[in-house]
Amino acid sequence: MEELLFGKLTWDSVIIVQEIEDPNLNTFITAGAAAMIPIGGVMIVALLWWLKWWKPLISWVTSVDHKRIGVMYIIFAVIMLFRGVVEGTLMRLHQATAIDGGFLSADHFNQLFTTHGTNMIFFVAMPFLIGLINIAVPLQIGARDVAFPKLNQISLGLTGAGGFLIMISLLIGEYATGGWTGYPSYNGKLVNPGVGPDYWLLSIGLSGIGSTLTGVNFAVTIYKMRAKGMTFMRMPLFTWTALATSILLIFAMPPLTACCAMLGLDRYLDFHFFTNDMGGNLMNFINLFWMFGHPEVYILILPAFGVMSEIAPTFAAKRLYGYKGLVAATMCIAVLSFMVWLHHFFTMGQSTTVNAAFGIATLLIAIPTGVKVYDWLATLWGGRIRFTTPMIYLCGFFILFVLGGFSGVVLANPTLDYQLHNSLFLVAHFHNVILPGTLFGILAAIHYWFPKMFGFRLMESWGRLTAGCWIFGFSVTFLPLYSLGLKGMTRRTVDYTDPSYVPLMIVSGVGSLFLSLAFLFLLVTFWRSIVNRKKLAVPFGDPWDGRTLEWWTPSPAPEYNFAVLPEVHSLDAFTAAKEAGTAYDPVEKYEDIEMPSNTYYGLIIGILVSAFGFGLVWYIWWMVIASFLGCIGTMIAYAFLPQRENIIPAEEVRRIDEAWRREARETQGITRDEESNETNKGLARPDILPSV
Amino acid sequence: MIDLPILLAVADSFLHPIGPVAEEQLKHLNFVMLITLIAIIPPLVATPVILWRFRRKKPTGTYRPNWDSNPILESLMWGVPLIVVILMGISLWKITFRLDPYRELSDAPLKIKVIGLDWKWIFIYPDEKVALVDELIVPEGRAVEMILTTDTVMQSLRISAVVGQIYAMPAMTTKLNFIAAEEGEARGMNTQFTGEGFWKQKFPVYSVTDEQYNKRMEEARKSSLSLTPETYAILAVQGTSEEAKKPLGIADQVGPITLLLPEVNFFERVLARYWANEPMTPETQPGSPDYDPTKSTLPPAPSEPMMKM
Amino acid sequence: MSESKTESLHPGLNLGEEHGEDHLEAETSVFGFWVFMMSDLVTFGMFFIIFASSVTALAGGPGPKELFNLGSVAWQTGFLLLSSLTSGMAVLSLKQEHADTEVPRKKLILWLLLTALLGACFLYREIADFIDMAANGGGPTRSGYLTALWSLVGLHGLHVSGGILWCLVMVVGVMVRGVDRRWKLAILRWAIFWHFLDVVWIAIFTFVFLGGLI
């Protein structure tokens, strides 16, 4: 009877019970982390009740507004980043002391590197980037929302379901230990029959479906919903990279869904996709996984490149250099990213011809990447550079990211990969491109677009300190790993025996403390900015003298984005309007605006899919069936429910918009000298910059 | 956590190679790094220069807000990396073929068959009729060809100072060819994560004179243990080779386990396990938490070759 | 967005300008669905690749010669191809007779139900075949080849089941709510889905069934 109700779940599955029964430092750490979940949950509920924030919360989680969905993705990512940074720091600290045994058990360490990688890629980096794309793209193309707002909400729900699974694994059960790549047959049913690999494949498989749908959504949005006059070659670069990312999502996520499903069939139904025996072939998983995995890393970097393309011109007060070249490079990277996946397993024993061919393809993809970096530097050439927080991240990127590219070129050679594969050199390489590339791009973008979402800037002082701390922390933590990798230290190793590794391990451990500090400073940045939001308010909407359409609307942006959809005649349409003096001219005709209304659809799907995943992990079949039928039922029900829409009457639109335009015409803006002051209300005065 | 002896003065990385393959790899690394610098140095130098010249507060460069293209610069930006990639591509193609791990380095290399287990390696010398556990000994200067498989999950055998690594997988074979040119000791290890004892899966590689090699083989042939399905089943239990000594009945023996090889085709029998068209069960699959050595059997050696990588 | 109401707004059968706003709305909706189908094609592609690499992985078990019933496969192909035709007739009926929602819906519903019925016949034969294969020792757990076979064909069958359910929901929707914009767009998208499944089936019966017996 119990098995029918609870499947494999027992009291012993709960980590806290394990700690009570068998206390030691190792389980204390795990139980402590696990306990944060119920405690955190209770605290959040209490906080919401005390502040009476239930209604706003409901209005947010039922919203289909791309801006709110984007912000929710980012909040989710920040929470998961907290977990990811803690996991990373724990590993670095453990390895700094591992020559004497370290303080973590092998099983704990093995789960840590698995959850760290899985979490950071699927539940930190991707939600951050999808969140930024959500926030910025419809505004940049002059649209009111994405093509399929309800689908957008469902994608968020699915991502949340994946996040739920990886978080609940902290409290109930355990996670996989096979790394974020989860190769069988280690992750197969015979060698690892526990719940860990099931949590792994379900958390990434289910959230992956959400990402595929996001790709579809934004590809259609960018193709079909651009403002009048915005041809492809007049789109901002961030939108171009969002388009490339969407194409990658559409074509690269299915292989992941497929190989997770296949692994699931192997584990649950004794199929023989990847088993050692009966005709299974584990190499198929590896091929499928990396057919996803390589484009995935370009999904992670392309939006960050897009952000750099926005930051450089804005904060150097000049046009982006090489627009056409950047577009071409972006599309080259997108196409080439599907042709290099084998470089993740040069050492698997395939023929030299195959290895050499993929090695050359990998070298080729370095060319457009390099062009992009040169183009951004050329953008700064001839400019007037302001060292705001986003610019500091860009500088860190210039110096550090090229080192990551350097090590990537080294690894592209099969000959060298035979030595360096699976070593800390590899670990250093991918952190070197993800932190200075993806993370710095994300953090720069947060500073850049935060005012557009919330109506006030983030504090520059804390922002710059945070940036410096990330740059320093990254360098101290990861650059030593190159040396260790060359000296032969392997990855995913809980302990080691060579005492010559110790000094650099300690340096790296100290560095990880700076990374933790940097994360803390990030939170402080948010907190102090919220406290000082009145002083930092930028209601006119253009705090940076921006060039693209998203700055041509008040801050925070109204639900419908633009009172009247803009018409563009060139690149950098907003700058053109400001230079012509027509940016805030009165508008003649206002119309009623129809916006989709709130819905519970995404939330319901998110909850049902979470239950579906949890039920599958623990073999609770009634939960699996009920949630699956529930999803079908929900979809059918919503097909019949009347589609309500929110109509904002033309009068109200006129009232708000006319007031904004009138005030903008009548107020004196600021020059860039005042950009970080209280006087910056989001209105830009033409900045007369001397030639030399 | 530490029951492995700390190995000092052991060649462990290809930065100090003791074999021609690793030497060439090191040379290639230097070449690649040098030539890539052509593409890397410009941004590293340009960044501080540009930030200084064009800073807002006291700029020294002309302000050109609308400058957004220059054909010469475009040609250089696309062209120079392209040339670098072409040069590197040619070098990559040639050296990838020259250092193909499957390419035999002489006419009659010493053949060693390797079985990876959790968390130890069995090195079978079919010509010498012995097997060593967690010890690889080769005559210096002699070409060696290793043929690898595992009986658990995917592993990766790496001897950095000599040749690098190759994956080893159950039901399949891979090959690694190398020469240890100098006398000395190197370290080999598994670099593909296989579970809790993964970090312990390291072994010494001894490159010795022919005399010493033959002496070691003689010693090994005096072993009281043979590589039979029963001893193999015990070796396949999860643990290091040290931990395997007690169940094998040689708890007091110092030094690596050595075994006689009554069956030359033992390696093929382990491979054949996955081609026997009988499903593996938790009891018979080494590496599974329910593995039971008493239930583990090996099929007879196959008459025809099976799938090979 | 397009300027004229007469041009073709998306690949496939367009509603046409008589449908007014519905025709314009279809552009984004149907285009989006084509894009989603591309991702589904990749998913099928992955199962195809695995199948292709597993054709020799029989592990001593039964293979195509022992298990395939070409006659049944022929029937299945016939049912599915015919159902593609009837689904096309449904969309034609939608286009020609439903520019407004007042016109009787019988023809549309008839074609939809016929498609669902043919799809059900397809599934019935397919499931019967699967049961036969399992009875002959050809279940999905027998070998890598059979795993790949069952998964690929099974994935297609799951899609067909989904398509039939979708079709029945639309029939109910059209009966209850009339042929309004929502159901028109749904029918257009469903038709793309149904044709897509037909194309995948052609690949399956060519490479899996016919190819297996060569």
Side-chain angles (χ1 to χ4, degrees), chain A residues 149 326 511 622 679:
Chain A
L326 280 166
W622 65 262
T679 51

Side-chain angles (χ1 to χ4, degrees), chain A residues 231-291:
Chain A
T231 58
F232 276 111
M233 293 312 267
R234 289 181 188 162
M235 292 194 322
L237 234 312
F238 182 77
T239 302
W240 268 109
T241 57
L243 177 61
T245 305
S246 302
I247 294 173
L248 290 181
L249 283 168
I250 293 165
F251 289 107
M253 300 303 306
L256 178 70
T257 314
C259 71
C260 285
M262 293 174 187
L263 184 61
L265 287 170
D266 269 7
R267 289 180 62 86
Y268 282 86
L269 294 179
D270 273 328
F271 278 38
H272 288 291
F273 281 108
F274 312 123
T275 52
N276 292 341
D277 55 342
M278 307 301 277
N281 188 346
L282 60 86
M283 295 193 293
N284 283 338
F285 180 92
I286 295 174
N287 271 283
L288 239 56
F289 183 85
W290 287 113
M291 277 195 226

Side-chain angles (χ1 to χ4, degrees), chain B residues 215-228:
Chain B
K215 191 157 152 248
R216 181 73 180 112
M217 292 293 124
E218 277 302 317
E219 247 178 62
R221 279 191 271 269
K222 296 200 194 110
S223 166
S224 56
L225 286 176
S226 281
L227 188 57
T228 62

Side-chain angles (χ1 to χ4, degrees), chain B:
Chain B
M1 280 271 183
I2 35 161
D3 54 6
L4 275 188
I6 296 176
L7 299 162
L8 297 165
V10 164
D12 188 30
S13 86
F14 73 121
L15 300 176
H16 305 287
I18 62 169
V21 173
E23 263 170 37
E24 281 210 56
Q25 286 169 331
L26 181 60
K27 275 199 221 125
H28 187 64
L29 174 70
N30 292 329
F31 169 73
V32 166
M33 296 210 301
L34 216 61
I35 198 177
T36 311
L37 284 176
I38 300 175
I40 299 296
I41 298 223
L44 287 175
V45 165
T47 303
V49 167
I50 293 178
L51 293 177
W52 185 257
R53 265 194 88 165
F54 294 98
R55 68 197 191 287
R56 188 189 157 86
K57 285 281 157 63
K58 278 211 202 99
T60 54
T62 320
Y63 181 44
R64 294 203 193 93
N66 294 324
W67 179 66
D68 62 3
S69 75
N70 178 312
I72 300 178
L73 197 52
E74 286 301 308
S75 323
L76 285 176
M77 280 185 194
W78 287 93
V80 170
L82 182 63
I83 293 175
V84 168
V85 162
I86 291 177
L87 289 175
M88 220 183 327
I90 295 173
S91 157
L92 183 156
W93 191 271
K94 296 210 295 228
I95 200 170
T96 304
F97 278 89
R98 194 160 68 246
L99 297 186
D100 175 7
Y102 278 55
R103 187 171 72 90
E104 292 178 9
L105 297 175
S106 82
D107 284 329
L110 172 65
K111 284 209 192 321
I112 302 178
K113 298 192 178 166
V114 185
I115 303 177
L117 293 167
D118 284 350
W119 293 291
K120 55 185 86 69
W121 299 93
I122 303 182
F123 297 100
I124 297 179
Y125 291 75
D127 296 331
E128 308 282 352
K129 301 260 198 323
V130 295
L132 304 174
V133 179
D134 275 347
E135 174 189 335
L136 180 63
I137 182 164
V138 295
E140 54 121 345
R142 174 98 188 267
V144 176
E145 177 174 76
M146 293 203 293
I147 302 171
L148 303 98
T149 187
T150 74
D151 199 11
T152 55
V153 300
M154 190 165 94
Q155 304 188 355
S156 183
L157 186 142
R158 186 188 80 187
I159 312 171
S160 293
V162 173
V163 69
Q165 68 192 288
I166 194 90
Y167 280 173
M169 292 164 280
M172 302 177 234
T173 58
T174 49
K175 291 188 186 169
L176 196 57
N177 279 275
F178 68 91
I179 297 177
E182 293 166 25
E183 269 183 66
E185 186 183 328
R187 175 154 45 227
M189 65 191 308
N190 174 20
T191 66
Q192 176 63 34
F193 180 78
T194 49
E196 283 196 33
F198 156 69
W199 72 279
K200 298 183 197 170
Q201 198 172 351
K202 300 179 166 64
F203 59 94
V205 180
Y206 299 112
S207 168
V208 296
T209 62
D210 282 340
E211 265 170 28
Q212 286 167 309
Y213 171 76
N214 288 326
K215 191 157 152 248
R216 181 73 180 112
M217 292 293 124
E218 277 302 317
E219 247 178 62
R221 279 191 271 269
K222 296 200 194 110
S223 166
S224 56
L225 286 176
S226 281
L227 188 57
T228 62
E230 292 74 34
T231 47
Y232 176 76
I234 295 174
L235 281 170
V237 172
Q238 275 188 334
T240 59
S241 48
E242 284 299 314
E243 289 159 8
K245 283 184 180 169
K246 189 145 172 261
L248 286 171
I250 48 169
D252 299 326
Q253 182 184 315
V254 170
I257 302 174
T258 57
L259 303 144
L260 294 173
L261 189 70
E263 267 181 90
V264 171
N265 285 340
F266 196 83
F267 177 85
E268 281 73 14
R269 287 185 71 179
V270 170
L271 258 186
R273 205 210 270 272
Y274 299 104
W275 295 90
N277 300 332
E278 286 293 318
M280 299 292 283
T281 66
E283 289 79 30
T284 58
Q285 173 68 59
S288 137
D290 294 321
Y291 173 67
D292 185 352
T294 59
K295 299 231 173 61
S296 159
T297 57
L298 287 180
S303 45
E304 312 147 342
M306 297 166 297
M307 171 183 176
K308 292 212 186 293
M309 266 302 297

Side-chain angles (χ1 to χ4, degrees), chain C residues 26-198:
Chain C
E27 179 176 6
T28 312
S29 172
V30 175
F31 176 74
F33 198 76
W34 276 102
V35 174
F36 173 68
M37 282 290 98
M38 293 198 294
S39 81
D40 210 15
L41 190 64
V42 175
T43 307
F44 270 107
M46 295 300 111
F47 280 86
F48 262 108
I49 298 178
I50 298 293
F51 177 80
S53 81
S54 305
V55 284
T56 53
L58 292 171
K65 295 194 176 41
E66 291 86 5
L67 296 170
F68 288 172
N69 178 349
L70 262 194
S72 181
V73 171
W75 275 106
Q76 288 168 51
T77 309
F79 285 136
L80 208 58
L81 282 173
L82 205 58
S83 76
S84 231
L85 178 64
T86 57
S87 75
M89 297 304 293
V91 176
L92 264 178
S93 152
L94 176 72
K95 175 186 168 88
Q96 288 163 352
E97 295 167 9
H98 291 279
D100 59 70
T101 61
E102 302 300 326
V103 176
R105 304 166 283 227
K106 281 218 192 91
K107 224 172 165 188
L108 174 65
I109 292 176
L110 199 69
W111 285 119
L112 287 174
L113 284 176
L114 203 51
T115 310
L117 180 65
L118 288 165
C121 292
F122 167 88
L123 274 183
Y124 173 75
R125 275 257 48 105
E126 184 163 273
I127 293 174
D129 279 355
F130 273 140
I131 294 176
D132 277 340
M133 281 205 277
N136 283 333
T141 61
R142 177 62 185 82
S143 66
Y145 171 77
L146 284 164
T147 287
L149 175 76
W150 277 67
S151 314
L152 175 59
V153 179
L155 182 67
H156 178 267
L158 272 175
H159 276 74
V160 170
S161 313
I164 294 174
L165 179 63
W166 191 355
C167 182
L168 295 174
V169 169
M170 289 192 309
V171 165
V172 173
V174 158
M175 285 185 349
V176 165
R177 288 262 190 273
V179 186
D180 61 8
R181 175 180 310 171
R182 172 189 292 197
W183 295 112
K184 285 189 201 177
L185 298 184
I187 291 171
L188 285 180
R189 295 194 300 257
W190 165 84
I192 294 172
F193 185 72
W194 200 256
H195 292 311
F196 164 82
L197 289 180
D198 211 21

Side-chain angles (χ1 to χ4, degrees), chain A residues 430-441:
Chain A
F430 61 71
H431 283 92
N432 199 345
V433 287
I434 291 186
L435 271 97
T438 306
L439 182 68
F440 287 8

